[in-house]
Amino acid sequence: MNFVKHLFLTVAMALTSLSAVAQLQLFDPVVWSTAVEQVGEGEYRIDFKASVDNGWHMYDLGPYEGGPMATTFTFEPSADYELVGGVTADKDSHVEMNELFGMEIGSYEGSVTFSQTIKSAK
């Protein structure tokens, strides 16, 4: 249980710093929320839900060499956990040709939930 509290506090602090950076902009068309769920013995899934305002979109996980900055999640190395697989999205992105970058790029509208499974090292 102590591990879950530590994990939740780490996620909350990361989102707080994201929110603080967003305050530097006039407004932010994406609102984030998180949840942590135990999915097995010592394994947890962290969900990052993005709610995108109407008329806006956010890029998918990419990557796009020479293109836009894809949505990225960075996890700090820790002796407390290890990553199981990579970040996944709960739905497919809408892919279309972007004339500015000269490549096909995926994006999301509405809402999308990204997930990362971790395993407790303790």
Side-chain angles (χ1 to χ4, degrees), residues 27 29 51-57 109-111:
F27 84 105
S51 298
V52 183
D53 286 348
N54 288 335
W56 292 86
H57 67 269
E109 294 180 355
S111 67

Side-chain angles (χ1 to χ4, degrees), residues 55-87:
W56 292 86
H57 67 269
M58 66 183 291
Y59 294 122
D60 64 9
L61 297 168
Y64 298 107
E65 188 173 326
M69 181 181 289
T71 300
T72 305
F73 294 87
T74 304
F75 297 89
E76 296 291 324
S78 173
D80 293 332
Y81 68 87
E82 64 182 65
L83 301 178
V84 178
V87 175

